[in-house]
């Protein structure tokens, strides 16, 4: 047997991911697109229900308040997703609620002025208004950085090498939302994980009418099966005498969403009353907006690759961040109780289904708006135990992380300089937030604990985020450590084509504005 030639065992770098059925601007049939859009909607429910379920009780809110906040969050998610896919980056990304805002929001909830309000309902309303005011003020950060093109200038310091740990930790950094949550109810979490992998990978070649139905709809099929199984366990009394925490994670009737949801309710701006403004609250929230900006930048680059598009030029990224700032402003006006960012799980689903179509995501936005208005129907799907979503996250977050690692192909991974930067950035990106989490769990406050609450919120929010820590370390090292003689090793010659809109002819195909709007807003 002849020895293989070097070109036969090497894989040349590719700026577009191969093997996708539909890319950003190609569309499946309408029936398939609607089904795929519904699948993205179901996946987005996890975060949309989890955040209000955790925060609203801390504010003194009832189940009715929790449902109303979840409906509002979904409604605004739908609007923001449509705005982003039409006028922002135009990538197939769902714009959902962000966990990055948890630290400043919890700080607002624990404000002594608000805690002193004895009536629970009034405390909920006043806390909600304080969060709204902070979001409205903080949204200006992304609006200014985006529309002034300042973020585009900042991204010119990013190389493929610097982006590897950032994009990878967009996925890896959410590990605490994966198997640790699955472990709270292994009897439904493990079967969900196994079934989803089996359908999406091992049985992906099963076709019905030339459609790989098990691969394409693995999420919705496996969720339906395990949801029915979980309901059977609940109805049979399997959790009747189990601890309250187990029941909350396993039972299908503990969310109290369906009974509390109205039949029809249209969210509207200032529905909780006039927002209140506090400089300390707003400053802490600004840190979360910066974290959201960094995490979304990594997610946009991952989404571009999973949609078989070229990397988004700096101008397009900045435009997307500007629209995301508008989204956070809408979050503040409507009262969603959190800010917006790119939904990492939905980016991962693009890779799992091998469908990166923009139209599918726009259809999912329609489902979000529709089911948030029809409360009972939306609450039915939102009652799926979060453990089921966590099992899927184990796969989808991993896909996004692997996209970050795929950027290694454009760099020299035989360079000790590059190995040092990636290794240190990834390790600190995981280790520093873990230190902050462990410290907070023990001390009930973050490591930054001075008399200046706004300062504490700012530092604790920044260092709770794995991609943010990775970006600080990677970009700093990459632009100071032997950077003059390392352009080729860093992947800069490949990156140069995508730094401007006109650098690559495919940018117009992927990122041009609809309705011929480029005449009025010409890209740089």
């Amino acid at each position: 047997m002849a020895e293989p030639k070097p070109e036969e065992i090497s894989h040349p770098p590719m700026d577009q991911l191969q093997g996708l059925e539909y890319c950003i601007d190609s569309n499946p049939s309408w029936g398939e697109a609607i089904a795929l859009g519904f699948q993205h909607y179901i996946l987005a429910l996890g975060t949309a229900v989890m955040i209000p379920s955790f925060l609203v009780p801390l504010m003194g809110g009832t189940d009715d308040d929790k449902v109303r906040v979840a409906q509002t969050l979904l409604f605004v998610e739908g609007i923001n997703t449509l705005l982003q896919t039409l006028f922002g980056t135009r990538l197939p990304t769902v714009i959902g609620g962000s966990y990055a805002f948890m630290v400043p929001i919890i700080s607002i909830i624990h404000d002594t002025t608000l805690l002193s309000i004895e009536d629970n309902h009034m405390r909920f309303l006043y806390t909600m208004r304080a969060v709204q005011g902070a979001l409205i003020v903080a949204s200006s950060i992304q609006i200014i950085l985006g529309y002034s093109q300042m973020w585009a200038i900042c991204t010119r310091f990013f190389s493929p090498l610097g982006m590897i740990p950032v994009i990878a930790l967009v996925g890896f950094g959410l590990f605490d939302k994966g198997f640790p949550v699955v472990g709270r109810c292994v009897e439904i979490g493990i079967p969900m994980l196994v079934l989803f992998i089996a359908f999406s990978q091992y049985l992906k070649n099963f076709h019905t009418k030339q459609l790989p139905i098990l691969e394409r709809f693995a999420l919705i099929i496996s969720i339906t099966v395990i949801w029915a199984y979980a309901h059977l366990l609940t109805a049979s009394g399997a959790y009747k005498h189990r601890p309250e925490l187990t029941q909350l994670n396993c039972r299908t009737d503990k969310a109290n969403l369906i009974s509390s949801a109205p039949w029809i309710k249209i969210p509207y701006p200032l529905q909780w009353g006039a927002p209140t403004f506090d400089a300390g609250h707003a400053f802490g929230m600004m840190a979360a907006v910066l974290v959201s900006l960094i995490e979304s930048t990594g997610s946009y680059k991952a989404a571009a690759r999973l949609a078989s598009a070229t990397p988004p030029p700096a101008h397009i990224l900045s435009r997307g961040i500007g629209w995301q700032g508008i989204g956070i402003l809408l979050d503040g006006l409507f009262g969603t109780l959190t800010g917006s960012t790119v939904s990492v799980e939905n980016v991962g689903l693009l890779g799992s289904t091998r469908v990166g179509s923009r139209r599918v995501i726009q259809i999912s936005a329609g489902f979000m708006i529709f089911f948030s208005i029809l409360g009972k129907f939306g609450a039915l799907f939102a009652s799926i135990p979060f453990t089921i979503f966590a099992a899927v996250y184990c796969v989808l977050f991993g896909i996004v992380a692997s996209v970050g690692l795929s950027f290694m192909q454009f760099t020299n991974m035989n360079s000790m300089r590059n190995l040092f930067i990636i290794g240190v950035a990834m390790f600190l990106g995981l280790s520093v937030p873990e230190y902050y989490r462990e410290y907070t769990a023990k001390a009930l406050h973050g490591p930054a604990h001075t008399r200046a609450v706004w300062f504490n919120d700012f530092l604790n929010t920044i260092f709770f985020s794995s991609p943010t820590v990775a970006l600080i370390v990677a970009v700093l090292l990459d632009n100071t450590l032997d950077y003059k003689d390392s352009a080729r090793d860093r992947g800069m010659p490949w990156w140069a084509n995508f730094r401007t809109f006109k650098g690559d002819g495919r940018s117009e195909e992927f990122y041009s504005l609809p309705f011929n709007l480029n005449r009025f807003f010409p890209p740089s």
Side-chain angles (χ1 to χ4, degrees):
M1 182 176 176
E3 288 290 325
K5 299 177 181 178
E7 60 269 21
E8 293 175 342
I9 59 175
S10 63
H11 303 279
M14 292 186 176
D15 49 35
Q16 286 180 270
L17 195 64
Q18 305 298 302
L20 295 176
E21 288 290 324
Y22 299 98
C23 66
I24 185 172
D25 53 359
S26 62
N27 302 307
S29 65
W30 277 105
E32 188 179 350
I34 290 171
L36 286 165
F38 182 74
Q39 192 168 233
H40 275 277
Y41 158 72
I42 290 293
L43 184 60
L45 283 173
T47 301
V49 173
M50 186 65 179
I51 291 176
S53 296
F54 176 73
L55 292 176
V56 170
L58 298 179
M59 300 161 62
T62 62
D63 286 337
D64 291 347
D65 297 322
K66 181 172 67 177
V67 168
R68 196 173 166 196
V69 172
Q71 283 182 271
T72 303
L73 179 53
L74 270 175
F75 184 81
V76 178
E77 273 188 28
I79 294 174
N80 287 339
T81 300
L82 283 176
L83 291 174
Q84 190 63 241
T85 54
L86 284 171
F87 308 115
T89 60
R90 306 215 71 215
L91 288 165
T93 51
V94 170
I95 306 301
S98 172
Y99 292 102
F101 293 81
M102 291 292 236
V103 172
I105 290 172
I106 290 174
S107 177
I108 293 173
I109 292 172
H110 290 148
D111 188 302
T112 53
T113 306
L114 296 169
L115 286 175
S116 64
I117 301 173
E118 295 182 1
D119 182 85
N120 281 341
H121 181 65
M122 293 305 297
R123 180 159 62 89
F124 167 77
L125 288 178
Y126 277 95
T127 305
M128 173 63 81
R129 293 168 189 171
V131 172
Q132 286 182 262
L135 285 171
I136 290 171
V137 174
S139 68
S140 61
I141 296 292
Q142 285 195 11
I143 293 173
I144 292 171
L145 288 176
Y147 291 125
S148 68
Q149 291 297 306
M150 289 177 63
W151 188 240
I153 296 171
C154 293
T155 60
R156 298 182 186 278
F157 293 96
F158 302 165
S159 69
L161 179 75
M163 284 293 100
I164 291 168
V166 177
I167 302 171
L169 292 186
V170 166
F172 287 145
L174 293 167
F175 67 88
D176 59 315
K177 306 293 188 297
F179 203 84
V181 181
V182 172
R184 297 174 189 172
C185 189
V186 292
E187 53 266 46
I188 63 173
I190 297 294
M192 179 66 200
L193 177 59
V194 171
L195 204 61
F196 182 66
I197 293 175
F199 285 160
S200 64
Q201 301 301 318
Y202 289 98
L203 300 175
K204 63 183 179 182
N205 294 321
F206 177 83
H207 286 64
T208 300
K209 294 182 180 180
Q210 299 183 333
L211 177 68
I213 191 165
L214 291 182
E215 177 192 41
R216 199 65 50 82
F217 303 107
L219 177 73
I220 197 70
I221 295 172
S222 52
I223 280 183
T224 302
V225 172
I226 300 301
W227 189 18
Y229 167 61
H231 186 71
L232 184 64
L233 290 176
T234 301
S236 64
Y239 304 112
K240 195 171 183 180
H241 303 294
R242 300 288 293 278
E244 183 65 25
L245 185 61
T246 302
Q247 294 193 40
L248 187 64
N249 286 284
C250 298
R251 294 182 69 104
T252 57
D253 59 356
K254 291 295 288 184
N256 297 325
L257 295 175
I258 300 174
S259 59
S260 302
W263 281 103
I264 296 178
K265 180 72 175 180
I266 301 177
Y268 55 92
L270 308 183
Q271 59 187 332
W272 312 102
T276 58
F277 299 93
D278 179 276
H281 294 166
F283 196 83
M285 197 68 77
M286 286 179 184
V289 169
L290 289 173
V291 167
S292 167
L293 181 152
I294 292 168
E295 292 179 352
S296 292
T297 298
S299 296
Y300 286 134
K301 292 182 181 293
R305 194 145 180 79
L306 290 171
S308 197
T310 52
H315 164 82
I316 301 301
L317 273 176
S318 203
R319 188 175 75 190
I321 292 302
W323 277 104
Q324 191 169 299
I326 296 292
I328 295 173
L329 176 62
L330 292 176
D331 291 329
L333 290 173
F334 279 82
T336 63
L337 200 54
T338 187
S340 293
T341 191
V342 176
S343 173
V344 179
E345 55 267 35
N346 288 87
V347 173
L349 190 58
L350 300 177
S352 176
T353 59
R354 295 194 298 133
V355 176
S357 168
R358 183 189 296 123
R359 176 184 291 174
V360 168
I361 300 302
Q362 291 170 339
I363 290 172
S364 76
F367 278 118
M368 292 175 202
I369 295 171
F370 179 75
F371 282 115
S372 63
I373 294 173
L374 295 179
K376 291 289 185 186
F377 292 100
L380 173 65
F381 299 118
S383 64
I384 299 170
F386 189 71
T387 306
I388 292 178
F389 290 107
V392 179
Y393 293 167
C394 292
V395 176
L396 301 184
F397 290 162
I399 291 174
V400 175
S402 66
V403 171
L405 298 179
S406 76
F407 275 71
M408 289 183 182
Q409 66 185 302
F410 308 115
T411 65
N412 178 12
M413 292 314 297
N414 291 311
S415 162
M416 273 306 302
R417 171 193 181 274
N418 289 3
L419 293 174
F420 175 84
I421 292 172
I422 291 176
V424 172
M426 289 195 69
F427 185 86
L428 289 178
L430 288 170
S431 188
V432 171
E434 183 62 19
Y435 162 72
Y436 270 71
R437 274 190 288 265
E438 289 184 4
Y439 190 103
T440 304
K442 292 178 182 177
L444 300 181
H445 59 75
H449 187 58
T450 66
R451 291 184 178 181
V453 177
W454 59 269
F455 178 76
N456 302 338
D457 291 346
F458 195 91
L459 281 187
N460 291 333
T461 301
I462 291 291
F463 291 107
F464 253 99
S465 167
S466 290
T468 305
V469 174
L471 181 118
I472 293 170
V473 175
V475 173
L476 179 65
L477 291 175
D478 191 34
N479 286 278
T480 56
L481 187 61
D482 299 330
Y483 70 96
K484 289 184 178 180
D485 303 321
S486 306
R488 187 179 181 86
D489 287 349
R490 299 164 67 202
M492 294 306 287
W494 170 79
W495 196 262
N497 293 334
F498 309 109
R499 295 178 73 174
T500 62
F501 186 82
K502 297 179 181 178
D504 189 283
R506 292 166 293 181
S507 293
E508 186 174 357
E509 174 189 355
F510 298 137
Y511 301 112
S512 287
L513 291 171
F515 317 123
N516 207 19
L517 288 174
N518 279 356
R519 292 181 303 168
F520 308 104
F521 306 100
S524 57

